[in-house]
Short mmCIF file of all heavy atoms in Angstrom, two decimals:
data_model
loop_
_atom_site.label_atom_id
_atom_site.label_comp_id
_atom_site.label_asym_id
_atom_site.label_seq_id
_atom_site.Cartn_x
_atom_site.Cartn_y
_atom_site.Cartn_z
N ARG A 366 105.14 127.13 103.22
CA ARG A 366 104.06 127.07 104.20
C ARG A 366 103.19 125.82 104.02
O ARG A 366 102.24 125.61 104.78
CB ARG A 366 103.19 128.32 104.10
CG ARG A 366 103.93 129.60 104.46
CD ARG A 366 103.01 130.81 104.47
NE ARG A 366 101.99 130.67 105.51
CZ ARG A 366 100.67 130.66 105.28
NH1 ARG A 366 100.22 130.77 104.03
NH2 ARG A 366 99.81 130.54 106.27
N ARG A 367 103.51 125.00 103.01
CA ARG A 367 102.78 123.74 102.85
C ARG A 367 103.35 122.69 103.80
O ARG A 367 104.32 122.94 104.51
CB ARG A 367 102.91 123.24 101.40
CG ARG A 367 102.31 124.17 100.37
CD ARG A 367 102.65 123.72 98.96
NE ARG A 367 102.52 124.85 98.03
CZ ARG A 367 103.18 124.98 96.91
NH1 ARG A 367 104.06 124.04 96.54
NH2 ARG A 367 103.00 126.04 96.13
N TYR A 368 102.76 121.52 103.76
CA TYR A 368 103.38 120.40 104.46
C TYR A 368 104.80 120.22 103.92
O TYR A 368 105.03 120.33 102.71
CB TYR A 368 102.58 119.11 104.26
CG TYR A 368 101.26 119.09 104.98
CD1 TYR A 368 100.06 119.32 104.29
CD2 TYR A 368 101.19 118.85 106.35
CE1 TYR A 368 98.84 119.31 104.94
CE2 TYR A 368 99.97 118.84 107.01
CZ TYR A 368 98.80 119.07 106.30
OH TYR A 368 97.61 119.06 106.97
N SER A 369 105.73 119.93 104.80
CA SER A 369 107.12 119.81 104.36
C SER A 369 107.37 118.58 103.50
O SER A 369 108.38 118.49 102.81
CB SER A 369 108.05 119.78 105.57
OG SER A 369 107.79 118.63 106.37
N SER A 370 106.46 117.61 103.53
CA SER A 370 106.64 116.38 102.76
C SER A 370 105.29 115.70 102.59
O SER A 370 104.32 115.99 103.30
CB SER A 370 107.61 115.43 103.47
OG SER A 370 107.05 115.01 104.71
N ALA A 371 105.24 114.77 101.64
CA ALA A 371 104.03 113.95 101.48
C ALA A 371 103.81 113.10 102.73
O ALA A 371 102.66 112.80 103.10
CB ALA A 371 104.18 113.06 100.24
N GLU A 372 104.90 112.71 103.37
CA GLU A 372 104.80 111.92 104.59
C GLU A 372 104.10 112.71 105.69
O GLU A 372 103.28 112.18 106.44
CB GLU A 372 106.19 111.49 105.04
CG GLU A 372 106.20 110.58 106.25
CD GLU A 372 107.61 110.12 106.59
OE1 GLU A 372 108.55 110.89 106.39
OE2 GLU A 372 107.76 108.98 107.07
N GLN A 373 104.41 114.00 105.81
CA GLN A 373 103.77 114.84 106.83
C GLN A 373 102.28 114.99 106.53
O GLN A 373 101.45 115.00 107.46
CB GLN A 373 104.46 116.20 106.87
CG GLN A 373 104.18 116.99 108.13
CD GLN A 373 104.93 118.29 108.16
OE1 GLN A 373 104.49 119.28 107.57
NE2 GLN A 373 106.06 118.31 108.84
N LEU A 374 101.93 115.11 105.27
CA LEU A 374 100.52 115.15 104.89
C LEU A 374 99.82 113.85 105.29
O LEU A 374 98.71 113.87 105.83
CB LEU A 374 100.41 115.39 103.37
CG LEU A 374 99.02 115.27 102.74
CD1 LEU A 374 98.04 116.22 103.38
CD2 LEU A 374 99.11 115.53 101.23
N THR A 375 100.48 112.73 105.05
CA THR A 375 99.92 111.43 105.44
C THR A 375 99.70 111.35 106.95
O THR A 375 98.68 110.85 107.42
CB THR A 375 100.86 110.29 104.99
OG1 THR A 375 101.07 110.38 103.59
CG2 THR A 375 100.26 108.93 105.32
N GLU A 376 100.67 111.85 107.71
CA GLU A 376 100.56 111.81 109.16
C GLU A 376 99.36 112.61 109.64
O GLU A 376 98.65 112.19 110.56
CB GLU A 376 101.83 112.35 109.80
CG GLU A 376 103.03 111.42 109.67
CD GLU A 376 104.31 112.04 110.22
OE1 GLU A 376 104.25 113.22 110.64
OE2 GLU A 376 105.35 111.36 110.21
N ASP A 377 99.10 113.77 109.02
CA ASP A 377 97.96 114.57 109.45
C ASP A 377 96.64 113.86 109.13
O ASP A 377 95.69 113.92 109.92
CB ASP A 377 97.99 115.94 108.76
CG ASP A 377 98.01 117.08 109.78
OD1 ASP A 377 98.13 116.79 110.99
OD2 ASP A 377 97.91 118.25 109.39
N ILE A 378 96.58 113.19 107.99
CA ILE A 378 95.37 112.42 107.67
C ILE A 378 95.19 111.28 108.66
O ILE A 378 94.07 111.01 109.13
CB ILE A 378 95.44 111.89 106.23
CG1 ILE A 378 95.38 113.05 105.24
CG2 ILE A 378 94.32 110.89 105.95
CD1 ILE A 378 95.62 112.67 103.81
N SER A 379 96.28 110.62 109.00
CA SER A 379 96.23 109.54 110.00
C SER A 379 95.75 110.08 111.34
O SER A 379 94.94 109.44 112.03
CB SER A 379 97.61 108.89 110.14
OG SER A 379 97.60 107.91 111.14
N ARG A 380 96.19 111.27 111.71
CA ARG A 380 95.76 111.87 112.97
C ARG A 380 94.27 112.15 112.93
O ARG A 380 93.55 111.92 113.91
CB ARG A 380 96.55 113.16 113.22
CG ARG A 380 98.05 112.96 113.36
CD ARG A 380 98.74 114.27 113.72
NE ARG A 380 98.38 114.67 115.06
CZ ARG A 380 98.92 114.14 116.16
NH1 ARG A 380 99.85 113.21 116.06
NH2 ARG A 380 98.55 114.54 117.35
N PHE A 381 93.79 112.64 111.80
CA PHE A 381 92.36 112.89 111.67
C PHE A 381 91.56 111.60 111.84
O PHE A 381 90.54 111.57 112.56
CB PHE A 381 92.05 113.52 110.30
CG PHE A 381 90.58 113.58 109.98
CD1 PHE A 381 89.78 114.58 110.52
CD2 PHE A 381 89.99 112.60 109.19
CE1 PHE A 381 88.42 114.61 110.25
CE2 PHE A 381 88.64 112.63 108.91
CZ PHE A 381 87.85 113.64 109.45
N LEU A 382 92.00 110.54 111.18
CA LEU A 382 91.28 109.27 111.25
C LEU A 382 91.26 108.69 112.66
O LEU A 382 90.35 107.96 113.04
CB LEU A 382 91.90 108.26 110.28
CG LEU A 382 91.74 108.59 108.79
CD1 LEU A 382 92.55 107.63 107.93
CD2 LEU A 382 90.27 108.56 108.38
N LYS A 383 92.28 109.00 113.45
CA LYS A 383 92.36 108.51 114.83
C LYS A 383 91.74 109.46 115.85
O LYS A 383 91.79 109.21 117.06
CB LYS A 383 93.82 108.25 115.21
CG LYS A 383 94.47 107.14 114.41
CD LYS A 383 95.95 107.01 114.76
CE LYS A 383 96.61 105.90 113.96
NZ LYS A 383 98.06 105.80 114.24
N GLY A 384 91.19 110.59 115.37
CA GLY A 384 90.60 111.54 116.29
C GLY A 384 91.62 112.40 117.01
O GLY A 384 91.31 113.01 118.04
N LEU A 385 92.83 112.49 116.47
CA LEU A 385 93.88 113.30 117.07
C LEU A 385 93.87 114.70 116.46
O LEU A 385 93.40 114.89 115.34
CB LEU A 385 95.25 112.66 116.84
CG LEU A 385 95.49 111.29 117.49
CD1 LEU A 385 96.72 110.66 116.88
CD2 LEU A 385 95.66 111.45 118.99
N PRO A 386 94.40 115.70 117.16
CA PRO A 386 94.53 117.04 116.57
C PRO A 386 95.47 116.98 115.37
O PRO A 386 96.44 116.24 115.37
CB PRO A 386 95.14 117.87 117.71
CG PRO A 386 94.87 117.10 118.95
CD PRO A 386 94.84 115.66 118.56
N VAL A 387 95.16 117.78 114.36
CA VAL A 387 95.97 117.76 113.15
C VAL A 387 96.90 118.95 113.13
O VAL A 387 96.65 119.98 113.74
CB VAL A 387 95.10 117.74 111.88
CG1 VAL A 387 94.20 116.52 111.87
CG2 VAL A 387 94.26 119.02 111.77
N ARG A 388 98.00 118.81 112.37
CA ARG A 388 99.00 119.87 112.28
C ARG A 388 98.41 121.12 111.63
O ARG A 388 98.79 122.25 111.96
CB ARG A 388 100.18 119.36 111.46
CG ARG A 388 101.39 120.28 111.45
CD ARG A 388 102.46 119.70 110.53
NE ARG A 388 102.88 118.39 110.96
CZ ARG A 388 103.88 118.17 111.80
NH1 ARG A 388 104.54 119.19 112.31
NH2 ARG A 388 104.23 116.93 112.13
N ALA A 389 97.46 120.92 110.70
CA ALA A 389 96.88 122.04 109.98
C ALA A 389 95.89 122.84 110.83
O ALA A 389 95.47 123.92 110.43
CB ALA A 389 96.19 121.55 108.71
N GLN A 390 95.48 122.32 111.97
CA GLN A 390 94.56 123.03 112.85
C GLN A 390 95.31 124.05 113.69
O GLN A 390 96.40 123.78 114.19
CB GLN A 390 93.85 122.03 113.78
CG GLN A 390 93.00 122.67 114.86
CD GLN A 390 91.81 123.40 114.29
OE1 GLN A 390 91.18 122.93 113.37
NE2 GLN A 390 91.50 124.55 114.85
N LYS A 391 94.74 125.25 113.85
CA LYS A 391 95.36 126.24 114.71
C LYS A 391 95.45 125.70 116.13
O LYS A 391 94.56 124.99 116.59
CB LYS A 391 94.55 127.54 114.69
CG LYS A 391 94.58 128.25 113.35
CD LYS A 391 93.80 129.55 113.42
CE LYS A 391 93.84 130.27 112.07
NZ LYS A 391 93.07 131.52 112.11
N ASP A 392 96.53 126.08 116.85
CA ASP A 392 96.78 125.57 118.19
C ASP A 392 95.94 126.29 119.23
O ASP A 392 96.45 127.04 120.06
CB ASP A 392 98.27 125.69 118.53
CG ASP A 392 99.10 124.77 117.68
OD1 ASP A 392 98.59 123.71 117.29
OD2 ASP A 392 100.25 125.12 117.40
N LYS A 393 94.64 126.08 119.17
CA LYS A 393 93.77 126.67 120.18
C LYS A 393 93.72 125.75 121.40
O LYS A 393 93.51 124.55 121.27
CB LYS A 393 92.37 126.87 119.62
CG LYS A 393 92.32 127.89 118.47
CD LYS A 393 90.91 128.03 117.94
CE LYS A 393 90.87 129.05 116.81
NZ LYS A 393 89.50 129.18 116.23
N THR A 394 93.90 126.31 122.57
CA THR A 394 93.98 125.51 123.79
C THR A 394 92.74 124.67 123.99
O THR A 394 92.82 123.46 124.28
CB THR A 394 94.20 126.44 125.00
OG1 THR A 394 95.41 127.15 124.82
CG2 THR A 394 94.27 125.63 126.29
N LEU A 395 91.54 125.27 123.83
CA LEU A 395 90.31 124.53 124.08
C LEU A 395 90.18 123.36 123.12
O LEU A 395 89.81 122.25 123.52
CB LEU A 395 89.11 125.47 123.94
CG LEU A 395 87.73 124.83 124.16
CD1 LEU A 395 87.64 124.25 125.57
CD2 LEU A 395 86.63 125.85 123.92
N TYR A 396 90.52 123.60 121.83
CA TYR A 396 90.45 122.54 120.82
C TYR A 396 91.34 121.36 121.20
O TYR A 396 90.93 120.21 121.18
CB TYR A 396 90.89 123.13 119.47
CG TYR A 396 91.21 122.11 118.39
CD1 TYR A 396 90.20 121.47 117.68
CD2 TYR A 396 92.54 121.81 118.08
CE1 TYR A 396 90.49 120.57 116.68
CE2 TYR A 396 92.84 120.91 117.08
CZ TYR A 396 91.82 120.29 116.39
OH TYR A 396 92.12 119.40 115.41
N ARG A 397 92.59 121.62 121.61
CA ARG A 397 93.52 120.57 121.92
C ARG A 397 93.12 119.82 123.19
O ARG A 397 93.24 118.61 123.28
CB ARG A 397 94.94 121.15 122.05
CG ARG A 397 95.40 121.87 120.79
CD ARG A 397 96.69 122.62 121.02
NE ARG A 397 97.81 121.70 121.02
CZ ARG A 397 98.40 121.24 119.93
NH1 ARG A 397 97.98 121.62 118.76
NH2 ARG A 397 99.41 120.42 120.03
N MET A 398 92.63 120.56 124.20
CA MET A 398 92.21 119.90 125.43
C MET A 398 90.99 119.01 125.18
O MET A 398 90.89 117.90 125.71
CB MET A 398 91.90 120.95 126.50
CG MET A 398 93.15 121.68 127.01
SD MET A 398 92.77 122.88 128.30
CE MET A 398 92.23 121.79 129.61
N GLN A 399 90.06 119.47 124.34
CA GLN A 399 88.89 118.66 124.02
C GLN A 399 89.31 117.36 123.34
O GLN A 399 88.79 116.29 123.65
CB GLN A 399 87.95 119.44 123.11
CG GLN A 399 87.19 120.55 123.84
CD GLN A 399 86.39 121.40 122.87
OE1 GLN A 399 86.64 121.40 121.66
NE2 GLN A 399 85.41 122.12 123.38
N LYS A 400 90.26 117.48 122.38
CA LYS A 400 90.75 116.29 121.69
C LYS A 400 91.38 115.30 122.67
O LYS A 400 91.15 114.10 122.61
CB LYS A 400 91.78 116.69 120.62
CG LYS A 400 91.17 117.34 119.39
CD LYS A 400 90.54 116.29 118.48
CE LYS A 400 90.10 116.90 117.17
NZ LYS A 400 89.52 115.88 116.27
N PHE A 401 92.20 115.79 123.59
CA PHE A 401 92.89 114.92 124.52
C PHE A 401 91.91 114.20 125.43
O PHE A 401 91.95 112.98 125.61
CB PHE A 401 93.89 115.72 125.35
CG PHE A 401 94.69 114.87 126.30
CD1 PHE A 401 95.82 114.23 125.85
CD2 PHE A 401 94.30 114.68 127.61
CE1 PHE A 401 96.57 113.42 126.69
CE2 PHE A 401 95.03 113.87 128.45
CZ PHE A 401 96.17 113.25 128.00
N VAL A 402 90.97 114.95 126.02
CA VAL A 402 90.02 114.34 126.96
C VAL A 402 89.11 113.36 126.24
O VAL A 402 88.78 112.29 126.74
CB VAL A 402 89.21 115.44 127.67
CG1 VAL A 402 88.11 114.82 128.52
CG2 VAL A 402 90.13 116.30 128.52
N ARG A 403 88.71 113.70 124.99
CA ARG A 403 87.83 112.82 124.23
C ARG A 403 88.49 111.48 123.96
O ARG A 403 87.86 110.44 123.97
CB ARG A 403 87.46 113.51 122.92
CG ARG A 403 86.29 112.85 122.19
CD ARG A 403 85.92 113.68 120.98
NE ARG A 403 85.56 115.03 121.35
CZ ARG A 403 85.65 116.07 120.51
NH1 ARG A 403 86.09 115.90 119.28
NH2 ARG A 403 85.32 117.28 120.91
N ARG A 404 89.81 111.51 123.69
CA ARG A 404 90.53 110.27 123.40
C ARG A 404 90.85 109.48 124.65
O ARG A 404 90.95 108.27 124.62
CB ARG A 404 91.87 110.58 122.68
CG ARG A 404 91.74 111.18 121.33
CD ARG A 404 93.07 111.08 120.57
NE ARG A 404 94.22 111.43 121.34
CZ ARG A 404 94.68 112.65 121.51
NH1 ARG A 404 94.03 113.66 120.94
NH2 ARG A 404 95.76 112.89 122.22
N HIS A 405 91.09 110.16 125.76
CA HIS A 405 91.66 109.50 126.94
C HIS A 405 90.81 109.73 128.19
O HIS A 405 91.34 110.05 129.26
CB HIS A 405 93.08 110.01 127.19
CG HIS A 405 94.01 109.82 126.04
ND1 HIS A 405 94.38 108.59 125.57
CD2 HIS A 405 94.65 110.73 125.24
CE1 HIS A 405 95.21 108.73 124.54
NE2 HIS A 405 95.38 110.02 124.32
N ARG A 406 89.48 109.60 128.07
CA ARG A 406 88.62 109.82 129.24
C ARG A 406 89.04 108.94 130.42
O ARG A 406 89.24 109.42 131.54
CB ARG A 406 87.16 109.53 128.87
CG ARG A 406 86.55 110.50 127.88
CD ARG A 406 85.09 110.16 127.62
NE ARG A 406 84.55 110.94 126.51
CZ ARG A 406 84.03 112.16 126.65
NH1 ARG A 406 84.00 112.71 127.84
NH2 ARG A 406 83.56 112.80 125.61
#
Side-chain angles (χ1 to χ4, degrees):
R366 296 185 64 240
R367 297 172 201 153
Y368 289 102
S369 63
S370 64
E372 184 177 33
Q373 197 177 82
L374 172 57
T375 303
E376 288 175 357
D377 238 7
I378 292 172
S379 177
R380 298 184 69 79
F381 169 80
L382 293 173
K383 295 176 181 177
L385 296 166
V387 300
R388 189 184 301 270
Q390 172 66 40
K391 293 182 179 179
D392 292 330
K393 295 179 180 178
T394 300
L395 180 61
Y396 166 78
R397 302 171 77 82
M398 290 182 67
Q399 287 173 341
K400 286 282 187 179
F401 183 85
V402 173
R403 194 175 301 156
R404 295 196 315 274
H405 303 296
R406 292 182 189 274

